[in-house]
Amino acid sequence: MRGTHDLGGQPAGPIDRCEHDYEPWEKRIDAMMVLLGEKGVLSVDERRRGIEALGAEAYARLSYYEKWIASAANLLIEKGVFTVDELGRKMAEVEARAAAERAEGNRS
């Protein structure tokens, strides 16, 4: 049986080969994955397994680096590096900080 990620031989339309600038968050995810690999926390094969396990809906909806971060988060939870609750709290902190920065920017 073919996985969602296995597009070999399937019609998928043209590939966008245009160069583009990466967003800061994409650069951070790339750097984080390099560090996790260098520290022996996550391997490329584990990351690929995590991406392939995302499910059809998530795989179709998420961008390239969103797949990377979803895979990493799931794998780090699986390995006990942090819990779902810890991740949720940190995500809430980051969102609150971003909202405050946006509000501050609107006042300037």
Side-chain angles (χ1 to χ4, degrees):
M1 185 162 168
R2 185 183 290 246
T4 302
H5 64 281
D6 187 2
L7 300 177
Q10 300 296 311
I15 296 172
D16 180 2
R17 296 179 188 256
C18 296
E19 291 293 322
H20 66 281
D21 292 330
Y22 293 100
E23 295 293 325
W25 70 270
E26 293 171 317
K27 292 177 184 180
R28 286 195 285 285
I29 290 170
D30 191 84
M32 182 181 69
M33 295 308 252
V34 168
L35 290 172
L36 289 169
E38 287 177 355
K39 296 292 184 182
V41 178
L42 288 180
S43 70
V44 171
D45 293 330
E46 288 175 310
R47 184 176 67 216
R48 184 180 61 240
R49 177 181 61 84
I51 290 170
E52 291 171 358
L54 289 173
E57 188 276 326
Y59 192 88
R61 178 178 44 83
L62 298 175
S63 71
Y64 182 77
Y65 282 107
E66 288 172 332
K67 290 174 186 161
W68 278 30
I69 197 64
S71 173
N74 290 335
L75 291 166
L76 293 171
I77 290 166
E78 179 182 299
K79 290 178 173 231
V81 175
F82 49 75
T83 67
V84 172
D85 288 340
E86 289 170 328
L87 178 59
R89 283 193 301 274
K90 182 53 79 172
M91 290 174 66
E93 288 174 24
V94 170
E95 179 55 38
R97 188 170 58 237
E101 290 171 2
R102 284 191 301 271
E104 184 63 32
N106 289 338
R107 284 182 260 192
S108 300

